Amino acid sequence: MHQVLDLGINLLHANQHQADHNREHFDAWGVTCLNLMSAPGAGKTSLLEKTVAALADSLRLAVIEGDMTTQLDAERLRRYGIPVIAINTGRACHLDAAMVAGGLRQLEALLDPQQLDLLLVENVGNLVCPAEFEVGEHA
Ligand SMILES: Nc1nc2c(ncn2[C@@H]2O[C@H](COP(=O)(O)OP(=O)(O)O)[C@@H](O)[C@H]2O)c(=O)[nH]1
Ligand SMILES: [Mg+2]
């Protein structure tokens, strides 16, 4: 027998609330935030490397690098001399807004975020899970 239980709560509500809060920070700082999602190996880090190389002279950039367990992508991007915050998600197949808020606190310890123009977020390599969780990005 199947029974439908109405829990009466939106399980993503807390994440949405935190994402809205992150976006308020980005807007107050004048920072545009982009959240990159794709299948593993599709080329997110490569695209970020080329983007950073092309824009680092004209825009002030930082990266939040989401990865389940390693620092490898963060190390690839640190070579370009920009601030990179690595977030290991452990078993989670996506970043969520609270993890990004934690990354923002680390970023604020390094620099004044009002001095940034563009924050690039590389999400964990899985197109399905990350799409459910806004992190406060503009696009
Ligand atoms: N042929 C080709 N290979 C690419 C391209 N972009 C990335 N790659 C390669 O694909 C692999 C995975 O790229 P990576 O940027 O690490 O993907 P991510 O897992 O989405 O971050 C690497 O070996 C890259 O060199 C591309 O535009 N063309
Ligand atoms: Mg990558």
Side-chain angles (χ1 to χ4, degrees):
M1 191 181 85
H2 288 89
Q3 196 174 0
V4 175
L5 296 177
D6 182 359
L7 298 176
I9 54 169
N10 179 347
L11 295 175
L12 291 173
H13 179 78
N15 185 74
Q16 190 60 51
H17 183 73
Q18 180 68 62
D20 291 343
H21 190 62
N22 291 350
R23 193 176 297 106
E24 283 168 18
H25 279 300
F26 298 142
D27 291 340
W29 294 335
V31 174
T32 298
C33 178
L34 304 179
N35 181 13
L36 263 82
M37 300 174 214
S38 75
K44 294 178 294 300
T45 311
S46 303
L47 179 63
L48 285 176
E49 287 182 284
K50 296 286 185 189
T51 301
V52 169
L55 296 182
D57 285 344
S58 50
L59 292 178
R60 294 158 302 180
L61 305 168
V63 173
I64 289 183
E65 216 9 278
D67 195 302
M68 287 179 87
T69 53
T70 79
Q71 296 274 328
L72 296 173
D73 285 355
E75 282 159 18
R76 279 168 66 184
L77 288 157
R78 285 195 182 110
R79 289 187 209 134
Y80 296 84
I82 57 159
V84 179
I85 305 296
I87 300 178
N88 286 135
T89 60
R91 291 180 166 198
C93 56
H94 58 83
L95 289 171
D96 66 25
M99 291 178 202
V100 168
L104 295 179
R105 285 191 288 276
Q106 291 184 54
L107 198 59
E108 284 184 272
L110 292 180
L111 51 81
D112 173 3
Q114 302 205 37
Q115 305 207 331
L116 289 176
D117 299 305
L118 183 60
L119 176 66
L120 299 159
V121 177
E122 177 172 342
N123 217 309
V124 177
N126 171 327
L127 190 51
V128 178
C129 310
E132 294 279 326
F133 290 83
E134 270 193 51
V135 299
E137 70 271 34
H138 293 103

